[in-house]
Amino acid sequence: MTLTVPMDETRPKLKPLARRFYLRTPELVARELLGNILVRGRGRHRLAGRIVETEAYLGLNDAAAHAAAGPTARNAVLFGPAGHAYVYFIYGMHYCFNVSCRPAGNAGCVLIRALEPISGIAAMARSRGVELGIAPTVAKLRRLASGPGRLAAALGITRARDNGKDVTASDLWIGDDGFKTAIVSTPRIGITRAVDPQLRFLLADNPYVSGKPFRAKPSPASRR
DNA sequence: ATATCGATTATCT
DNA sequence: GATAATCGATATG
Protein backbone atom coordinates (compact mmCIF):
# COMPACT_ATOMS: atom_id res chain seq x y z
CA MET A 1 0.00 0.00 0.00
CA THR A 2 1.39 3.40 -0.90
CA LEU A 3 0.11 5.91 1.59
CA THR A 4 1.12 9.32 0.38
CA VAL A 5 3.65 11.37 2.25
CA PRO A 6 1.88 13.71 4.67
CA MET A 7 2.24 17.37 3.87
CA ASP A 8 4.40 18.78 6.60
CA GLU A 9 5.10 22.35 7.53
CA THR A 10 8.81 22.00 6.82
CA ARG A 11 8.21 21.61 3.10
CA PRO A 12 8.46 24.72 0.95
CA LYS A 13 5.45 26.97 1.32
CA LEU A 14 2.56 25.57 -0.67
CA LYS A 15 2.03 27.72 -3.72
CA PRO A 16 -1.00 27.80 -6.02
CA LEU A 17 -0.57 26.13 -9.39
CA ALA A 18 -0.25 28.81 -12.08
CA ARG A 19 -2.78 29.52 -14.80
CA ARG A 20 -0.67 27.80 -17.45
CA PHE A 21 -1.05 24.52 -15.58
CA TYR A 22 -4.73 24.51 -16.53
CA LEU A 23 -4.24 25.66 -20.12
CA ARG A 24 -3.83 22.09 -21.34
CA THR A 25 -6.02 19.12 -22.21
CA PRO A 26 -8.34 17.73 -19.53
CA GLU A 27 -6.57 14.36 -19.72
CA LEU A 28 -3.22 15.91 -18.91
CA VAL A 29 -4.58 18.22 -16.22
CA ALA A 30 -6.47 15.32 -14.63
CA ARG A 31 -3.29 13.24 -14.49
CA GLU A 32 -1.12 16.02 -13.19
CA LEU A 33 -3.54 17.23 -10.54
CA LEU A 34 -3.05 13.89 -8.78
CA GLY A 35 -0.77 14.35 -5.79
CA ASN A 36 -1.40 18.08 -5.48
CA ILE A 37 -3.16 19.67 -2.52
CA LEU A 38 -6.69 21.06 -2.64
CA VAL A 39 -7.05 23.80 -0.04
CA ARG A 40 -10.05 25.65 1.42
CA GLY A 41 -8.99 28.87 3.06
CA ARG A 42 -5.88 30.97 3.24
CA GLY A 43 -3.57 31.51 6.17
CA ARG A 44 -4.19 29.82 9.48
CA HIS A 45 -7.42 27.84 9.45
CA ARG A 46 -7.05 25.69 6.39
CA LEU A 47 -8.77 22.55 5.26
CA ALA A 48 -6.55 20.59 2.93
CA GLY A 49 -6.24 17.19 1.31
CA ARG A 50 -4.14 15.49 -1.31
CA ILE A 51 -5.93 14.83 -4.60
CA VAL A 52 -5.95 11.07 -5.15
CA GLU A 53 -8.67 10.65 -7.81
CA THR A 54 -9.80 12.72 -10.81
CA GLU A 55 -11.81 12.40 -14.01
CA ALA A 56 -11.42 14.26 -17.29
CA TYR A 57 -14.44 15.65 -19.19
CA LEU A 58 -13.59 16.75 -22.68
CA GLY A 59 -16.27 19.33 -23.55
CA LEU A 60 -18.26 19.51 -26.77
CA ASN A 61 -16.96 16.21 -28.12
CA ASP A 62 -17.66 14.19 -24.97
CA ALA A 63 -21.22 12.84 -24.67
CA ALA A 64 -20.78 12.39 -20.91
CA ALA A 65 -19.77 16.01 -20.33
CA HIS A 66 -22.14 18.70 -19.08
CA ALA A 67 -20.80 20.90 -21.88
CA ALA A 68 -21.63 18.35 -24.60
CA ALA A 69 -24.67 20.26 -25.90
CA GLY A 70 -23.12 23.70 -25.71
CA PRO A 71 -23.29 26.56 -23.20
CA THR A 72 -26.19 26.88 -20.72
CA ALA A 73 -26.69 28.85 -17.54
CA ARG A 74 -25.47 25.91 -15.49
CA ASN A 75 -22.25 25.15 -17.38
CA ALA A 76 -21.23 28.71 -18.33
CA VAL A 77 -18.01 28.53 -16.32
CA LEU A 78 -16.78 25.68 -18.49
CA PHE A 79 -16.74 27.94 -21.53
CA GLY A 80 -14.77 30.62 -19.71
CA PRO A 81 -11.07 30.80 -18.89
CA ALA A 82 -9.04 27.92 -17.45
CA GLY A 83 -8.49 27.41 -13.75
CA HIS A 84 -11.95 28.29 -12.48
CA ALA A 85 -14.26 26.24 -10.25
CA TYR A 86 -17.28 24.61 -11.88
CA VAL A 87 -19.63 23.45 -9.11
CA TYR A 88 -22.87 21.69 -9.92
CA PHE A 89 -25.70 20.22 -7.85
CA ILE A 90 -26.69 16.62 -8.51
CA TYR A 91 -29.25 14.05 -7.36
CA GLY A 92 -31.07 16.70 -5.38
CA MET A 93 -28.49 16.70 -2.61
CA HIS A 94 -24.82 16.66 -3.59
CA TYR A 95 -22.36 19.15 -5.00
CA CYS A 96 -19.42 18.21 -7.22
CA PHE A 97 -16.29 20.28 -7.77
CA ASN A 98 -14.48 20.62 -11.10
CA VAL A 99 -11.74 22.83 -12.49
CA SER A 100 -12.00 24.27 -16.01
CA CYS A 101 -9.20 23.58 -18.48
CA ARG A 102 -7.92 24.81 -21.83
CA PRO A 103 -8.34 28.33 -23.20
CA ALA A 104 -11.75 30.04 -23.09
CA GLY A 105 -14.14 28.50 -25.59
CA ASN A 106 -12.92 24.95 -24.94
CA ALA A 107 -15.19 23.49 -22.29
CA GLY A 108 -12.92 20.82 -20.86
CA CYS A 109 -12.75 20.25 -17.11
CA VAL A 110 -11.52 17.90 -14.42
CA LEU A 111 -13.79 16.47 -11.71
CA ILE A 112 -11.96 16.12 -8.40
CA ARG A 113 -13.26 12.86 -6.95
CA ALA A 114 -11.33 12.10 -3.77
CA LEU A 115 -8.89 13.53 -1.25
CA GLU A 116 -6.58 12.09 1.33
CA PRO A 117 -7.31 14.41 4.28
CA ILE A 118 -4.25 16.30 5.50
CA SER A 119 -5.26 19.22 7.69
CA GLY A 120 -8.44 20.57 9.21
CA ILE A 121 -9.58 17.00 9.65
CA ALA A 122 -11.81 17.73 12.63
CA ALA A 123 -13.52 20.51 10.68
CA MET A 124 -14.03 18.20 7.71
CA ALA A 125 -15.64 15.63 9.97
CA ARG A 126 -17.95 18.30 11.36
CA SER A 127 -18.92 19.40 7.85
CA ARG A 128 -19.63 15.81 6.91
CA GLY A 129 -21.52 15.02 10.09
CA VAL A 130 -19.35 12.04 10.96
CA GLU A 131 -17.72 11.09 14.22
CA LEU A 132 -14.02 10.27 14.25
CA GLY A 133 -13.00 9.34 17.80
CA ILE A 134 -9.40 9.83 18.76
CA ALA A 135 -6.72 8.12 16.65
CA PRO A 136 -9.11 7.60 13.73
CA THR A 137 -8.37 4.65 11.48
CA VAL A 138 -7.82 4.92 7.73
CA ALA A 139 -11.29 3.45 7.29
CA LYS A 140 -12.77 6.36 9.26
CA LEU A 141 -10.68 9.04 7.58
CA ARG A 142 -11.63 7.62 4.22
CA ARG A 143 -15.28 8.49 4.83
CA LEU A 144 -14.46 12.22 4.82
CA ALA A 145 -13.68 12.84 1.15
CA SER A 146 -13.67 9.62 -0.91
CA GLY A 147 -16.15 10.54 -3.62
CA PRO A 148 -17.07 13.88 -5.20
CA GLY A 149 -20.15 14.52 -3.04
CA ARG A 150 -18.31 13.73 0.17
CA LEU A 151 -15.33 15.85 -0.88
CA ALA A 152 -17.52 18.88 -1.55
CA ALA A 153 -19.32 18.46 1.76
CA ALA A 154 -16.02 18.10 3.64
CA LEU A 155 -14.72 21.41 2.28
CA GLY A 156 -18.08 23.18 2.39
CA ILE A 157 -18.14 23.61 -1.38
CA THR A 158 -21.47 24.78 -2.82
CA ARG A 159 -22.54 26.29 -6.11
CA ALA A 160 -23.72 29.51 -4.49
CA ARG A 161 -20.47 29.99 -2.65
CA ASP A 162 -17.86 28.70 -5.06
CA ASN A 163 -19.00 28.37 -8.66
CA GLY A 164 -16.74 30.46 -10.91
CA LYS A 165 -13.99 31.08 -8.35
CA ASP A 166 -10.46 31.39 -9.66
CA VAL A 167 -8.62 28.36 -8.34
CA THR A 168 -5.24 30.10 -8.79
CA ALA A 169 -6.23 33.01 -6.53
CA SER A 170 -9.12 32.57 -4.08
CA ASP A 171 -9.99 30.77 -0.86
CA LEU A 172 -10.44 27.57 -2.88
CA TRP A 173 -7.15 26.70 -4.55
CA ILE A 174 -4.76 23.95 -5.51
CA GLY A 175 -1.11 23.87 -4.49
CA ASP A 176 1.94 21.84 -5.43
CA ASP A 177 4.21 20.37 -2.77
CA GLY A 178 6.24 18.30 -5.19
CA PHE A 179 4.63 14.94 -4.46
CA LYS A 180 4.65 12.39 -7.31
CA THR A 181 3.66 8.75 -7.48
CA ALA A 182 2.35 6.02 -9.80
CA ILE A 183 -0.96 6.64 -11.56
CA VAL A 184 -3.63 4.21 -12.76
CA SER A 185 -6.47 4.89 -15.23
CA THR A 186 -9.95 3.33 -15.50
CA PRO A 187 -13.29 4.20 -17.13
CA ARG A 188 -15.26 7.02 -15.53
CA ILE A 189 -17.78 6.33 -12.76
CA GLY A 190 -21.55 6.85 -12.70
CA ILE A 191 -22.09 7.94 -16.30
CA THR A 192 -24.34 6.40 -18.96
CA ARG A 193 -22.73 7.75 -22.12
CA ALA A 194 -19.14 7.55 -23.38
CA VAL A 195 -18.44 4.86 -20.81
CA ASP A 196 -15.43 3.28 -22.52
CA PRO A 197 -12.56 5.74 -22.52
CA GLN A 198 -10.21 5.54 -19.57
CA LEU A 199 -10.55 9.07 -18.26
CA ARG A 200 -10.54 8.35 -14.53
CA PHE A 201 -7.16 8.63 -12.86
CA LEU A 202 -6.10 7.43 -9.40
CA LEU A 203 -3.00 7.14 -7.29
CA ALA A 204 -2.08 3.46 -7.44
CA ASP A 205 -3.15 1.50 -4.34
CA ASN A 206 -4.22 4.56 -2.39
CA PRO A 207 -6.92 3.73 0.20
CA TYR A 208 -8.60 7.15 -0.05
CA VAL A 209 -10.00 6.70 -3.57
CA SER A 210 -13.76 6.27 -4.02
CA GLY A 211 -15.46 2.93 -4.43
CA LYS A 212 -15.01 -0.19 -2.36
CA PRO A 213 -13.73 0.52 1.13
CA PHE A 214 -10.06 -0.13 1.57
CA ARG A 215 -9.09 -3.48 3.10
CA ALA A 216 -5.67 -4.10 4.54
CA LYS A 217 -3.93 -6.88 2.66
CA PRO A 218 -3.99 -9.97 4.88
CA SER A 219 -0.49 -10.66 6.07
CA PRO A 220 0.42 -14.21 7.18
CA ALA A 221 1.05 -13.00 10.73
CA SER A 222 -2.30 -11.25 11.06
CA ARG A 223 -4.48 -14.01 9.62
CA ARG A 224 -7.03 -15.42 12.07
C1' DA B 1 -19.52 -10.36 0.16
C1' DT B 2 -22.74 -8.00 -3.66
C1' DA B 3 -27.30 -5.98 -4.99
C1' DT B 4 -30.90 -2.89 -4.92
C1' DC B 5 -33.27 1.21 -3.42
C1' DG B 6 -34.73 5.80 -1.75
C1' DA B 7 -33.62 10.58 -1.00
C1' DT B 8 -34.56 15.18 -3.19
C1' DT B 9 -34.22 19.13 -6.69
C1' DA B 10 -31.82 22.01 -10.43
C1' DT B 11 -31.74 21.58 -15.00
C1' DC B 12 -33.00 20.49 -19.51
C1' DT B 13 -36.41 18.27 -23.08
C1' DG C 1 -41.89 15.19 -16.91
C1' DA C 2 -37.38 12.77 -16.75
C1' DT C 3 -32.94 12.73 -15.60
C1' DA C 4 -28.69 12.90 -12.90
C1' DA C 5 -20.37 13.01 -13.10
C1' DT C 6 -24.00 10.29 -5.51
C1' DC C 7 -24.42 8.46 -1.03
C1' DG C 8 -26.02 5.75 2.68
C1' DA C 9 -29.06 2.33 4.15
C1' DT C 10 -31.16 -2.06 3.83
C1' DA C 11 -31.69 -6.65 2.05
C1' DT C 12 -29.88 -11.08 0.70
C1' DG C 13 -26.40 -15.09 0.05
Side-chain angles (χ1 to χ4, degrees):
Chain A
M1 163 173 89
T2 59
L3 277 183
T4 68
V5 181
M7 182 176 72
D8 88 61
E9 306 302 331
T10 68
R11 277 179 181 265
K13 184 170 156 64
L14 196 63
K15 206 176 126 211
L17 292 167
R19 182 83 50 211
R20 65 179 172 278
F21 179 94
Y22 302 99
L23 286 170
R24 299 181 294 168
T25 64
E27 296 98 315
L28 196 48
V29 174
R31 283 181 167 277
E32 298 212 353
L33 278 177
L34 291 176
N36 288 302
I37 312 288
L38 175 60
V39 186
R40 161 70 88 185
R42 287 185 165 285
R44 181 83 187 101
H45 296 292
R46 273 185 190 176
L47 310 188
R50 195 177 303 281
I51 298 170
V52 298
E53 178 178 344
T54 59
E55 282 177 359
Y57 287 86
L58 309 185
L60 291 169
N61 292 322
D62 179 359
H66 287 181
T72 66
R74 174 173 72 157
N75 68 21
V77 170
L78 295 179
F79 290 86
H84 288 254
Y86 169 53
V87 181
Y88 64 87
F89 186 62
I90 189 70
Y91 292 113
M93 58 184 73
H94 304 293
Y95 291 97
C96 296
F97 167 67
N98 304 253
V99 183
S100 62
C101 307
R102 309 198 65 196
N106 301 274
C109 69
V110 174
L111 171 67
I112 312 299
R113 291 190 52 93
L115 301 180
E116 174 177 339
I118 290 175
S119 54
I121 289 175
M124 291 187 199
R126 245 177 284 123
S127 288
R128 287 268 296 116
V130 305
E131 285 292 332
L132 300 175
I134 64 165
T137 61
V138 169
K140 287 261 193 189
L141 291 173
R142 185 186 171 281
R143 303 173 55 73
L144 295 177
S146 66
R150 292 166 176 167
L151 181 160
L155 298 189
I157 294 172
T158 67
R159 182 168 168 89
R161 185 179 182 192
D162 298 306
N163 190 52
K165 275 186 182 169
D166 183 348
V167 166
T168 72
S170 72
D171 70 336
L172 186 61
W173 56 284
I174 301 173
D176 184 0
D177 74 344
F179 179 84
K180 293 290 175 230
T181 191
I183 290 171
V184 174
S185 67
T186 77
R188 294 174 293 187
I189 300 293
I191 55 174
T192 58
R193 285 166 292 181
V195 294
D196 285 343
Q198 305 221 139
L199 292 172
R200 175 175 177 243
F201 304 97
L202 314 85
L203 294 194
D205 294 319
N206 186 283
Y208 293 93
V209 302
S210 70
K212 295 196 307 281
F214 167 75
R215 291 260 174 238
K217 288 206 169 79
S219 71
S222 70
R223 193 178 293 278
R224 40 179 303 168

